[in-house]
Amino acid sequence: NAGVTQTPKFRVLKTGQSMTLLCAQDMNHEYMYWYRQDPGMGLRLIHYSVGEGTTAKGEVPDGYNVSRLKKQNFLLGLESAAPSQTSVYFCASSYAPVMNTEAFFGQGTRLTVV
Amino acid sequence: KNEVEQSPQNLTAQEGEFITINCSYSVGISALHWLQQHPGGGIVSLFMLSSGKKKHGRLIATINIQEKHSSLHITASHPRDSAVYICAVSTYNTDKLIFGTGTRLQVFP
């Protein structure tokens, strides 16, 4: 089983460039999440979705946009990349709210903005 | 002050040692999650618990709701246990997880 797959795994962007990170899950999960992981900090929630066609802001949404056009995919877009967005990005999914069930994570995308 | 605190931040051990990683939290929770992250790798869920104790192989997780504290124990540690262990909590009124900063464990042969 593939589980949660993120593409790409690595990317280097120049300041001002745009890009889209793709998260795909094959577990028919309703809930999907995008997090960023920075040194010395816990994972922080960027945006999340509670079902196809829905999105909501998390803790650190500025500079990012998301879309959930298909249930299995959750896209994270950077409109104009900034060095502060250098981070490792993780996607996660869950069948139900994480208050009730475990979350499944992808392998991460390491993004460097120069 | 972070809502989820882990200790220690870094831990080294010799193969075979018994290891304990601690997690304290300051919010009311519906569940606590223990996660494992290998170097350069993804994050894997180890346990989700809301009371008592769970065991999987050499890993044991306990939680004390009254004291707002959880521990992750590794018995007979092995170099392949070297990873970052992350504690996260979920609360009743949100769909979100609150994460600790992780404990980096290195087990030497």
Side-chain angles (χ1 to χ4, degrees):
Chain A
N1 291 338
V4 179
T5 303
Q6 292 182 231
T7 53
K9 290 186 171 46
F10 303 93
R11 184 76 186 267
V12 178
L13 282 181
K14 293 183 178 179
T15 297
Q17 287 185 319
S18 63
M19 77 164 294
T20 300
L21 283 68
L22 171 63
C23 176
Q25 53 92 4
D26 61 0
M27 297 172 282
N28 202 35
H29 285 172
E30 291 291 340
Y31 292 74
M32 297 187 74
Y33 310 83
W34 275 109
Y35 296 95
R36 59 178 289 170
Q37 184 180 44
D38 300 296
M41 304 182 76
L43 276 78
R44 292 182 293 167
L45 183 65
I46 304 170
H47 286 280
Y48 66 104
S49 169
V50 301
E52 181 179 320
T54 74
T55 62
K57 293 181 180 180
E59 184 184 352
V60 287
D62 293 343
Y64 305 95
N65 57 72
V66 288
S67 64
R68 183 102 181 264
L69 298 179
K70 294 183 179 181
K71 186 176 184 178
Q72 63 268 33
N73 295 338
F74 194 29
L75 279 64
L76 177 71
L78 282 71
E79 298 158 338
S80 178
S84 61
Q85 294 177 304
T86 293
S87 188
V88 181
Y89 292 85
F90 284 96
C91 176
S93 72
S94 60
Y95 178 74
V98 289
M99 65 180 84
N100 298 321
T101 187
E102 68 177 315
F104 293 81
F105 289 81
Q107 291 294 305
T109 296
R110 185 173 295 274
L111 174 66
T112 302
V113 182
V114 297
Chain B
K1 188 177 186 298
N2 292 338
E3 293 169 300
V4 179
E5 298 273 0
Q6 289 185 236
S7 63
Q9 286 188 308
N10 295 284
L11 185 55
T12 58
Q14 289 294 126
E15 184 172 356
E17 285 185 4
F18 181 84
I19 288 163
T20 296
I21 298 170
N22 297 299
C23 176
S24 297
Y25 53 92
S26 58
V27 295
I29 69 168
S30 56
L32 184 141
H33 304 246
W34 280 105
L35 310 166
Q36 182 191 55
Q37 183 178 18
H38 280 284
I43 296 170
V44 175
S45 177
L46 298 175
F47 295 103
M48 186 185 80
L49 64 168
S50 54
S51 64
K53 176 179 172 178
K54 286 191 175 181
K55 184 175 189 289
H56 181 69
R58 295 180 294 106
L59 301 178
I60 303 166
T62 64
I63 188 168
N64 184 317
I65 296 295
Q66 287 72 31
E67 295 186 2
K68 295 188 173 180
H69 181 269
S70 175
S71 294
L72 176 67
H73 305 287
I74 305 175
T75 62
S77 60
H78 190 277
R80 65 175 174 265
D81 296 325
S82 298
V84 175
Y85 292 85
I86 301 169
C87 172
V89 300
S90 53
T91 59
Y92 284 107
N93 59 348
T94 72
D95 298 330
K96 309 175 190 69
L97 291 171
I98 306 170
F99 293 83
T101 55
T103 294
R104 184 176 300 276
L105 170 66
Q106 290 183 294
V107 182
F108 295 98

